[in-house]
Amino acid sequence: MESRSRSINKLTSSIVWLLLFLFLIHGSHCFYLPGVAPEDFQKGDSLKVKVNKLTSIKTQLPYSYYSLPFCPPGKIVDNAENLGEVLRGDRIENSPYMFKMREPQMCTVLCRITLDAKTAKQFKEKIGDEYRVNMILDNLPLVVPIRRSDQDSSVVYQLGYHVGLKGQYTGSKEEKYFIHNHLAFTVKFHRDPETDSARIVGFEVKPYSIRHEYEGTWNDKTRLTTCDPHNKRTVVNSNTPQEVEANNEIIFTYDVEYQESDVKWASRWDAYLLMNDDQIHWFSIVNSLMIVLFLSGMVAMIMLRTLYRDISRYNELETQEEAQEETGWKLVHGDVFRPPSNSDLLCVYVGTGVQFLGMVLVTMIFAIFGFLSPSNRGGLMTAMLLLWVFMGIFAGYASARLYKMFKGAEWKKVAFRTACMFPGIVFAIFFVLNALIWGQKSSGAVPFGTMFALVLLWFGISVPLVFVGGYVGFKKPAIEDPVKTNKIPRQIPEQAWYMNPTFSVLIGGILPFGAVFIELFFILTSIWLNQFYYIFGFLFLVFIILLITCAEITIVLCYFQLCSEDYLWWWRSYLTSGSSALYLFLYATFYFFTKLEITKLVSGLLYFGYMLIASYAFFVLTGTIGFYACFWFTRLIYSSVKID
């Protein structure tokens, strides 16, 4: 068994080093593995255009495409979504758009509808909230190319097109609502000269609002006078826009243009994932590295100078009288490993932090190597959920090991709390938020079946794995303290104001937050402003820096605390780095009021509810890192001195 265990450890170590080596070769940018296999199209082949949810950065509430009275196909068919897509609110359905590969279409009439008061109100509400329509062709999302005048006319891509726009007629102050009822699609393809087959590498649109006109009564063969390919009349602007009012007639039309492109299929997502702010990301890395270097210098000074001098002096003391005259961290050796108050709860939080750390590390490694690319919609969220479930075994192991060191006996109780406490709090908040979304009739509301699947994953897989890990961890021999603990607790002397627990804990969270706050801006922007985030190389570097920062700031403050003869370090080590979550939530609040335009109460509650969950998870993660760093540090220094 021992040789087998060593082989497994060597294999795991080899894999980790291989991954790190490949990551360093690759650099900070990440490639992606496409979510689907390439599909070759011959000229005239049918292309399936699918519609996805309507999204708005003002409300953060997605709705299904057919919640508005757009032109429906003969039969609406839902596509099967994965767990991550359902949680994101994706609702992928078929559409009435009929494309033929490399066969351009002009002024194709989709349908004609007449608005009543109810449908006109629906359109106005969605236009007022700046909702966008999302479509998919060959797994590529629809984008609107926008030229930027500030950077040599470079093109940026906006996901989806707006349902409509608000404006006034010339000479009028009354605000009107206009709908984008004509879509000029551009399908870019890469052709194989040998087989003449083509692969789709781009899907763009330019939306227009046009009040279509025609002669006579409407029938299937009616020609539009405003958009007629026979008379070479096409829509090129929105000078006569289509107003949204009750009893107004709206005719939906579209063009399809095909453009050959040099972009190969494997690189077709590059334009979507192109980031123009690499310098800011590098500034983030440099900023974080400066913090780490500063802390590393302090830790090196403590470990190499102060501690070495202290240990040498303590070990040279010959008499008990000389020992009693000494002050500092050695004097509390008989109390430093005394179990803390609420030790069970500390075990639960440490185990949960180990589970979260494992999930984040493995997710990032998969993301760096392209397995969780945006082309695989919902893949990132699905992977995080499944990894959280399977990392339960490490949570149970870590909590049980610590619990046994504290001389605990009821490991099953601690294992159950580890399995249920953090997920239970998150699930309760999520359930309330989901009820709010359900009340808004949004597609973002998680269906009952999916909710049941989440509970099944939790209690069917995660909880048993936590108990398995707890059983294995509790069967291991207890971790022995390097020094004996006195029966009577030592009195803690009065502390200086700057060593007050609340003050030192709050100070400790500033530097870990400072190491990540620039990258945090891009993460929040991608989540709440509906943009792609795929700079996982930068994120991984920042995450490693965060781990080092949390460990070092906790060690520094723990050393100062022990030198002040305060031996209550267990909880403070967890809270010192964990307090960075407080600054994360405060920054999220600042971001809400400065970058977002959310006005609805439900949308605001959703934002703060989800950011509360994120901050809580960040607290558990950073707190556990700080705790283990301090745990290693105290065992190291007290095992290095001679205790009489």
Side-chain angles (χ1 to χ4, degrees):
M1 285 297 291
E2 283 188 18
S3 60
R4 185 179 177 185
S5 177
R6 281 196 297 268
S7 300
I8 292 173
N9 289 337
K10 287 181 180 178
L11 178 62
T12 305
S13 177
S14 301
I15 292 172
V16 170
W17 280 111
L18 177 63
L19 291 175
L20 288 173
F21 176 73
L22 291 173
F23 165 71
L24 291 172
I25 289 177
H26 183 68
S28 56
H29 287 282
C30 304
F31 61 90
Y32 65 93
L33 300 177
V36 293
E39 188 171 356
D40 295 316
F41 297 95
Q42 299 294 334
K43 187 174 182 180
D45 285 352
S46 295
L47 303 179
K48 295 180 181 179
V49 180
K50 299 175 183 177
V51 292
N52 201 350
K53 59 188 176 184
L54 307 174
T55 56
S56 168
I57 60 175
K58 291 186 71 174
T59 69
Q60 303 295 334
L61 293 168
Y63 288 90
S64 66
Y65 177 81
Y66 295 111
S67 63
L68 287 179
F70 286 117
C71 305
K75 181 183 178 182
I76 299 175
V77 180
D78 289 333
N79 276 46
E81 291 108 4
N82 59 42
L83 182 59
E85 286 179 299
V86 174
L87 294 175
R88 284 175 21 150
D90 285 348
R91 297 295 181 269
I92 302 171
E93 298 159 313
N94 60 330
S95 78
Y97 293 94
M98 304 295 293
F99 292 5
K100 298 288 185 182
M101 187 63 179
R102 292 155 63 188
E103 292 184 3
Q105 296 171 249
M106 291 180 62
C107 300
T108 304
V109 177
L110 201 61
C111 74
R112 167 180 164 272
I113 65 171
T114 301
L115 300 179
D116 55 24
K118 181 181 178 181
T119 53
K121 182 183 177 183
Q122 288 177 326
F123 272 121
K124 285 182 179 180
E125 287 177 349
K126 295 298 185 288
I127 293 171
D129 288 332
E130 299 179 8
Y131 270 87
R132 297 178 191 173
V133 177
N134 294 281
M135 295 184 180
I136 300 169
L137 176 64
D138 192 37
N139 206 46
L140 272 181
L142 180 68
V143 293
V144 178
I146 300 173
R147 292 204 169 272
R148 296 176 61 173
S149 57
D150 58 334
Q151 293 186 358
D152 302 325
S153 299
S154 61
V155 177
V156 294
Y157 294 100
Q158 169 193 286
L159 279 174
Y161 69 90
H162 286 102
V163 174
L165 67 158
K166 294 187 290 184
Q168 297 101 11
Y169 288 113
T170 305
S172 173
K173 293 184 179 180
E174 185 181 0
E175 196 168 52
K176 298 289 185 179
Y177 293 83
F178 304 98
I179 188 172
H180 286 137
N181 60 323
H182 179 84
L183 304 176
F185 293 105
T186 300
V187 178
K188 295 183 177 181
F189 63 92
H190 182 78
R191 189 173 66 88
D192 185 344
E194 295 182 2
T195 62
D196 199 43
S197 62
R199 293 177 177 178
I200 295 171
V201 296
F203 186 32
E204 301 175 4
V205 69
K206 289 183 180 178
Y208 297 98
S209 179
I210 178 76
R211 187 171 65 248
H212 284 304
E213 296 176 356
Y214 57 91
E215 296 177 355
T217 57
W218 180 266
N219 57 58
D220 293 341
K221 298 181 179 179
T222 299
R223 285 186 182 178
L224 302 175
T225 58
T226 48
C227 186
D228 188 357
H230 298 280
N231 296 328
K232 297 183 179 179
R233 286 182 61 90
T234 58
V235 176
V236 293
N237 56 52
S238 299
N239 288 340
T240 56
Q242 175 63 61
E243 188 179 336
V244 177
E245 285 295 343
N247 302 318
N248 276 11
E249 179 185 72
I250 300 178
I251 299 172
F252 290 91
T253 56
Y254 66 95
D255 302 333
V256 185
E257 177 191 3
Y258 293 88
Q259 289 182 3
E260 189 167 356
S261 172
D262 294 331
V263 176
K264 295 184 178 180
W265 186 87
S267 305
R268 64 179 186 164
W269 276 86
D270 289 357
Y272 294 81
L273 306 178
L274 180 65
M275 302 292 286
N276 296 318
D277 37 31
D278 286 352
Q279 290 183 345
I280 300 176
H281 285 279
W282 280 117
F283 174 74
S284 169
I285 299 295
V286 172
N287 168 70
S288 303
L289 282 174
M290 292 301 291
I291 293 174
V292 167
L293 289 174
F294 169 72
L295 283 174
S296 298
M298 291 191 69
V299 171
M301 184 180 68
I302 290 171
M303 299 294 288
L304 298 178
R305 266 188 81 188
T306 313
L307 265 179
Y308 181 77
R309 187 183 65 237
D310 287 352
I311 292 171
S312 299
R313 189 173 71 248
Y314 287 144
N315 289 339
E316 289 172 1
L317 294 176
E318 296 180 355
T319 65
Q320 189 68 23
E321 290 76 12
E322 288 178 319
Q324 289 177 353
E325 291 174 2
E326 288 296 326
T327 59
W329 55 269
K330 188 189 175 186
L331 287 183
V332 296
H333 68 82
D335 298 277
V336 75
F337 293 107
R338 187 181 303 281
S341 58
N342 296 316
S343 58
D344 294 9
L345 185 62
L346 180 63
C347 297
V348 169
Y349 269 108
V350 169
T352 304
V354 169
Q355 184 177 10
F356 202 82
L357 178 62
M359 180 200 75
V360 173
L361 276 175
V362 177
T363 301
M364 282 198 182
I365 290 171
F366 276 111
I368 286 171
F369 289 99
F371 293 105
L372 303 175
S373 68
S375 60
N376 183 14
R377 285 182 306 277
L380 181 63
M381 190 169 291
T382 304
M384 289 178 71
L385 278 171
L386 293 179
L387 284 170
W388 168 265
V389 167
F390 289 109
M391 288 293 168
I393 192 167
F394 298 105
Y397 181 85
S399 60
R401 288 283 284 156
L402 192 60
Y403 181 68
K404 189 169 185 179
M405 191 187 76
F406 290 148
K407 308 294 189 294
E410 299 178 354
W411 69 270
K412 293 179 183 177
K413 180 180 176 182
V414 170
F416 182 76
R417 291 177 68 185
T418 304
C420 296
M421 187 170 178
F422 178 83
I425 293 172
V426 171
F427 190 82
I429 298 172
F430 177 73
F431 187 83
V432 173
L433 296 178
N434 194 60
L436 294 174
I437 301 173
W438 196 282
Q440 298 294 313
K441 299 179 180 178
S442 166
S443 66
V446 178
F448 175 78
T450 306
M451 196 75 79
F452 179 75
L454 291 174
V455 174
L456 194 64
L457 282 172
W458 180 10
F459 286 100
I461 301 177
S462 180
V463 172
L465 284 177
V466 172
F467 272 89
V468 170
Y471 174 79
V472 174
F474 199 76
K475 284 294 181 182
K476 290 264 187 180
I479 301 171
E480 294 184 3
D481 298 330
V483 290
K484 293 182 179 180
T485 301
N486 296 334
K487 293 182 179 180
I488 302 174
R490 179 188 180 88
Q491 186 175 358
I492 299 173
E494 186 176 348
Q495 301 292 302
W497 65 270
Y498 52 84
M499 290 307 297
N500 180 277
T502 304
F503 179 78
S504 64
V505 163
L506 291 176
I507 289 296
I510 293 177
L511 289 179
F513 171 76
V516 300
F517 86 96
I518 297 177
E519 204 63 29
L520 182 63
F521 170 81
F522 294 101
I523 296 173
L524 292 179
T525 299
S526 69
I527 295 172
W528 300 106
L529 296 183
N530 199 27
Q531 296 179 12
F532 284 122
Y533 181 89
Y534 205 65
I535 314 294
F536 286 108
F538 282 111
L539 185 61
F540 186 77
L541 287 174
V542 171
F543 181 70
I544 296 300
I545 290 170
L546 173 67
L547 299 185
I548 298 171
T549 308
C550 287
E552 291 184 340
I553 189 65
T554 310
I555 288 173
V556 169
L557 293 180
C558 180
Y559 176 73
F560 292 153
Q561 178 187 350
L562 294 175
C563 286
S564 300
E565 300 178 30
D566 183 355
Y567 53 83
L568 301 177
W569 63 272
W570 296 97
W571 272 109
R572 198 188 291 194
S573 65
Y574 196 100
L575 296 174
T576 295
S577 53
S579 65
S580 57
L582 173 64
Y583 297 102
L584 187 150
F585 189 78
L586 291 175
Y587 179 77
T589 305
F590 170 78
Y591 185 88
F592 178 84
F593 288 107
T594 57
K595 297 296 180 182
L596 301 181
E597 299 178 7
I598 293 175
T599 53
K600 291 188 176 182
L601 176 62
V602 171
S603 303
L605 291 174
L606 286 178
Y607 176 85
F608 285 105
Y610 285 129
M611 291 314 301
L612 182 63
I613 291 175
S615 300
Y616 185 34
F618 194 71
F619 165 74
V620 170
L621 172 67
T622 54
T624 299
I625 297 164
F627 171 81
Y628 273 117
C630 205
F631 182 69
W632 166 82
F633 173 73
T634 51
R635 292 182 65 82
L636 177 68
I637 63 174
Y638 283 101
S639 61
S640 303
V641 295
K642 297 175 183 176
I643 306 297
D644 296 328

